[in-house]
Amino acid sequence: MTANTASLMDFLDEENAQLKKEGRFVKFRVLCGRQAPVSLIDGKKVVNLTSNNYLDLTAHPKLKAAAKAVIDTHGVGTAAVRPIIGTMDIHLALEEKLARFKGAEACLVFQSGFTVNVACCQSLMSDPADLLVSDELNHASIIDGARLAKAARKIYAHKDMKALKEILEASSGARRRMIVTDGVFSMDGDLAPLPEIVDLAEKYEAFVMVDDAHASGVMGENGRGTPSHFGLCDRVQIQIGTLSKAAGSIGGYVAGSRRLIDYLASVARPFMFSSSHPPSVVATCSAAVDVMLEEPQRIAKLWENARHFKEGLKKLGFDTGASETPITPVIVGDAEKAQAFSSRLFEEGVFALAICYPIVARGKDRLRTIVSSGHTTQDLDFALEKFDKVGRELGLV
Ligand SMILES: Cc1ncc(COP(=O)(O)O)c(C=O)c1O
């Protein structure tokens, strides 16, 4: 090994050892076959409470057929970024469909929810005279987008509207102010107080960006998201959605005014400098929107399952935090115990991931559970029985 390679290896060994010590070293669980409500993971059949497959669309016949058919007409890749020659007719058709779905003038699809958040923060908050105001529990992609933005940043305590008001009151000199919030918070499953946020934005002439990664396909009419849920579609300027969770495929999008979309298409760096979705992804996402409109029973079943599971956990004596959606944390409060809980449940046939500090605050270590419309009551009751058994074993209930 050359000296420069050896020094890099030393550095990586030290870093990896530290990550292991802190319990942050990632080891993959491996899905064998499709993402399903009951999946084969690491060779074991388990009730899967860990994916974002809210509507069980990852193997829906219409999505699979759409992906297969478009390969014959459009091939398997675009081999270009969107502004060069990576925009196909099907990309534009999907954007028109998503804009209609969101009740917006226009829409732009990105490679992922992560990139669309980064792009919007970076592109819209491009000057040190701007101010980006963000909830402390917003997703990592918003945090990174804010870091890339040239704007000043202010973080308010989670859902603290008094703190948000104070920030807005004290920043009247800013050139432009953007309030950014998750619609559904990904670790706690609680909702942003969107009506209050929108009122404050209007009072202080700020604009609002809502990341509905976990609300797309879940909240509002046919899964249109939290602005639809609260009746605020015409008062939220920037609606972010994902195609990677309930839609069962991959991608993110921003819906809003034609002017917003034209601007982003010309300046958003991840959009401009990274190649576009292959046809199979585009067709899958388009079919997913159709299914959301045609099969609202999936969303109804998702919520029925969420209520059943949440109530079951509460009855068993678990702390499910502030959850109001199908994301239900089971707060354990200690990283080692949370890891042990997750491992024992897996042995018993239930997969619920442990999420520990620093992803969540110290003392808020937890298992995060997400039900799907595809779970049967028997699946969920089986999982509840195992939560009870292992929870007692570990002295958690
Ligand atoms: C709140 C939130 N926003 C954005 C993302 C990123 O979405 P994607 O997986 O499409 O990149 C996630 C995914 O974990 C998320 O939870």
Side-chain angles (χ1 to χ4, degrees), residues 366-383:
R366 66 195 59 192
L367 302 194
R368 184 179 67 159
T369 68
I370 302 181
V371 297
S372 155
S373 65
H375 285 119
T376 63
T377 309
Q378 289 91 313
D379 295 334
L380 299 177
D381 287 345
F382 173 83

Side-chain angles (χ1 to χ4, degrees), residues 52 112-115 117 139 141 182 184 186 211 213-214 242-245 250-252 368:
N52 303 302
S112 70
F114 197 103
T115 48
N117 277 338
H139 187 255
S141 51
D182 282 8
V184 172
S186 54
D211 172 12
H214 288 279
T242 185
L243 299 160
S244 329
K245 301 185 193 296
I250 184 94
R368 184 179 67 159

Side-chain angles (χ1 to χ4, degrees), residues 171-191:
S171 59
S172 57
R175 185 182 73 157
R176 274 196 291 270
R177 290 177 290 179
M178 176 162 86
I179 306 168
V180 189
T181 183
D182 282 8
V184 172
F185 289 89
S186 54
M187 293 299 145
D188 294 271
D190 53 342
L191 289 174

Side-chain angles (χ1 to χ4, degrees), residues 26 67 75 108 118 141 145 165 176 197 263 270 327 394:
V26 172
L108 198 65
V118 167
S141 51
K165 185 167 183 273
R176 274 196 291 270
I197 291 176
Y263 173 69
I327 299 176
L394 297 176

Side-chain angles (χ1 to χ4, degrees), residues 192-373:
L194 215 46
E196 289 93 326
I197 291 176
V198 164
D199 283 347
L200 285 171
E202 287 174 358
K203 183 165 178 204
Y204 292 97
E205 292 184 30
F207 53 95
V208 179
M209 167 173 150
V210 177
D211 172 12
D212 263 344
H214 288 279
S216 304
V218 175
M219 305 283 311
E221 190 194 355
N222 293 90
R224 285 175 167 82
T226 50
S228 159
H229 170 77
F230 286 114
L232 295 170
C233 289
D234 53 346
R235 294 171 67 198
V236 170
Q237 290 75 21
I238 304 160
Q239 293 192 55
I240 305 295
T242 185
L243 299 160
S244 329
K245 301 185 193 296
S249 184
I250 184 94
Y253 58 92
V254 47
S257 63
R258 179 82 255 165
R259 277 171 274 189
L260 171 74
I261 299 314
D262 287 347
Y263 173 69
L264 290 171
S266 302
V267 304
R269 295 172 67 82
F271 179 82
M272 297 175 74
F273 296 111
S274 183
S275 295
S276 55
H277 277 158
S280 56
V281 165
V282 180
T284 308
C285 295
S286 178
V289 180
D290 295 343
V291 170
M292 285 178 200
L293 294 170
E294 289 161 7
E295 301 180 24
Q297 66 275 20
R298 286 180 180 265
I299 302 180
K301 181 72 174 134
L302 169 70
W303 281 91
E304 190 188 313
N305 279 349
R307 274 189 290 274
H308 180 75
F309 193 60
K310 212 186 298 288
E311 276 164 25
L313 287 168
K314 281 185 187 160
K315 265 193 211 141
L316 293 174
F318 288 107
D319 174 4
T320 57
S323 169
E324 302 166 80
T325 68
I327 299 176
T328 305
V330 176
I331 311 288
V332 174
D334 174 89
E336 261 176 49
K337 273 196 182 162
Q339 298 289 1
F341 197 10
S342 176
S343 304
R344 276 289 297 120
L345 279 173
F346 192 82
E347 285 166 13
E348 295 284 337
V350 177
F351 183 36
L353 192 72
I355 301 196
C356 302
Y357 176 83
I359 299 174
V360 293
R362 220 183 269 283
K364 292 284 177 192
D365 311 277
R366 66 195 59 192
L367 302 194
R368 184 179 67 159
T369 68
I370 302 181
V371 297
S372 155
S373 65

Side-chain angles (χ1 to χ4, degrees), residues 75-137:
V76 295
T78 65
V81 297
R82 285 282 303 269
I84 297 192
I85 190 56
T87 299
M88 292 175 163
D89 50 354
I90 52 174
H91 290 100
L92 297 183
L94 172 61
E95 287 171 346
E96 276 167 27
K97 189 180 276 188
L98 285 167
R100 275 197 306 279
F101 182 65
K102 285 277 174 176
E105 268 177 19
C107 170
L108 198 65
V109 171
F110 286 66
Q111 297 84 352
S112 70
F114 197 103
T115 48
V116 70
N117 277 338
V118 167
C120 287
C121 294
Q122 186 184 23
S123 309
L124 293 165
M125 295 275 97
S126 55
D127 190 281
D130 299 334
L131 180 68
L132 189 154
V133 190
S134 180
D135 186 291
E136 67 173 333
L137 294 191

